[in-house]
Amino acid sequence: MAKHEFGMMPAPPAADKRYDEYEPQRYHCIALDDEAVERLDPCWQRLPVYWHTLAVPGCGLAYCGVTLIPPESLGTALALMPSGAAYQELRDLLQMAQAGERWIIHFGI
């Protein structure tokens, strides 16, 4: 089954950098089944994010690309996340990032 990966960035994204490389090991990513992300996607369609670079603001996950989720969007992401065991690891990651005011990076399929 296809997977999406989410990780916490060690530092905020650089303003002049594109995040196009698939580097889940660099961010100690957790994997979430595509089916779970498909259920999550409608909830997060209005979530303020950036796609691949800080120069491209958007809303919702870049399903087949890279999404940069800023700390100020994490509270909303957590509030809109469906309940269930499938999301616990992601919920824990988002809470940890929120507490540390860190960015989340998402690698789509």
Side-chain angles (χ1 to χ4, degrees), residues 74 78 88 90-101:
L74 297 177
L78 284 161
Q88 189 58 52
L90 178 58
R91 187 175 289 105
D92 292 345
L93 177 68
L94 296 181
Q95 288 172 337
M96 202 164 64
Q98 184 181 35
E101 297 184 18

Side-chain angles (χ1 to χ4, degrees), residues 6 44 47-49 61 67-71 73-74 102-104 106:
F6 294 84
W44 283 9
L47 186 69
V49 300
L61 298 176
T67 311
L68 304 170
I69 306 173
S73 292
L74 297 177
R102 305 275 289 279
W103 287 67
I104 293 291
H106 158 259

Side-chain angles (χ1 to χ4, degrees), residues 5-106:
E5 301 194 66
F6 294 84
M8 192 174 353
M9 300 181 79
D16 60 345
K17 182 176 179 185
R18 284 192 60 86
Y19 293 83
D20 293 325
E21 298 294 321
Y22 176 68
E23 301 178 298
Q25 68 288 348
R26 179 177 181 187
Y27 303 103
H28 307 286
C29 287
I30 60 163
L32 194 63
D33 288 337
D34 182 48
E35 186 176 290
V37 172
E38 285 179 356
R39 288 189 306 248
L40 179 66
D41 191 48
C43 303
W44 283 9
Q45 284 183 352
R46 294 185 184 176
L47 186 69
V49 300
Y50 298 88
W51 296 323
H52 296 269
T53 175
L54 295 180
V56 184
C59 290
L61 298 176
Y63 188 80
C64 295
V66 177
T67 311
L68 304 170
I69 306 173
E72 56 270 16
S73 292
L74 297 177
T76 302
L78 284 161
L80 297 174
M81 187 177 299
S83 60
Y87 299 101
Q88 189 58 52
E89 196 173 16
L90 178 58
R91 187 175 289 105
D92 292 345
L93 177 68
L94 296 181
Q95 288 172 337
M96 202 164 64
Q98 184 181 35
E101 297 184 18
R102 305 275 289 279
W103 287 67
I104 293 291
I105 189 165
H106 158 259

